[in-house]
């Protein structure tokens, strides 16, 4: 996921992590033992660009082993795009988000 530089959702997530102070309309919270729920502000971006990013990140499901549990998941799941409020919500594996965050913060 980190290497998908041409994906608008990946770019928005990187920006949120870098600034460490998301807009009031953005953020993440724990969803369950395996997933975080992420909310991104997608205002100002074309809907088709966002949909293309969603399709790209939802298309590569694979098995992940997390604390002896096996979970089948794509990069993001449970996607909800609210075009009226210009908000994107999705679930991401905790392990994947932590690895993603570490890579973003290690950038120079």
């Amino acid at each position: 996921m980190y290497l998908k530089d041409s994906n608008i959702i990946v770019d928005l997530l990187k920006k949120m992590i870098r600034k460490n102070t998301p807009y009031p309309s953005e953020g993440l919270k724990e969803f369950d033992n395996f997933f975080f729920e992420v909310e991104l502000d997608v205002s100002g971006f074309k809907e088709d660009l966002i949909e293309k990013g969603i399709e790209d990140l939802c298309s590569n499901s694979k098995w992940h082993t997390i604390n002896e549990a096996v979970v089948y998941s794509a990069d993001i799941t449970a996607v909800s795009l609210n075009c009226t409020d210009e908000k994107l919500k999705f679930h991401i594996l905790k392990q994947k988000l932590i690895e993603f965050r570490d890579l973003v913060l290690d950038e120079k």
Side-chain angles (χ1 to χ4, degrees):
M1 184 171 127
Y2 175 79
L3 298 175
K4 296 182 179 185
D5 286 331
S6 62
N7 188 306
I8 189 66
I9 297 167
V10 172
D11 290 343
L12 289 171
L13 189 55
K14 283 180 180 181
K15 286 179 184 175
M16 185 180 79
I17 289 170
R18 280 187 199 115
K19 66 183 172 187
N20 199 26
T21 52
Y23 295 114
S25 59
E26 292 184 320
L28 59 96
K29 62 183 178 182
E30 186 173 21
F31 180 73
D32 62 18
N33 289 339
F34 300 108
F35 291 92
F36 280 117
E37 181 178 74
V38 177
E39 183 172 356
L40 295 174
D41 182 347
V42 293
S43 58
F45 295 97
K46 292 183 179 179
E47 188 176 339
D48 61 333
L49 185 62
I50 295 164
E51 289 172 352
K52 182 181 175 199
I54 291 169
E55 289 172 10
D56 182 35
L57 294 175
C58 289
S59 65
N60 60 346
S61 294
K62 58 184 172 183
W63 291 100
H64 303 272
T65 303
I66 303 167
N67 298 333
E68 298 181 24
V70 180
V71 179
Y72 188 69
S73 178
D75 286 335
I76 63 173
T77 61
V79 178
S80 169
L81 176 59
N82 183 328
C83 295
T84 304
D85 294 335
E86 298 181 314
K87 305 283 185 260
L88 173 66
K89 287 185 180 181
F90 58 87
H91 295 169
I92 184 170
L93 285 169
K94 288 179 178 180
Q95 174 181 315
K96 186 172 280 292
L97 183 60
I98 291 167
E99 291 168 0
F100 183 83
R101 178 207 61 199
D102 291 346
L103 289 169
V104 169
L105 295 177
D106 285 343
E107 289 179 349
K108 295 188 182 200

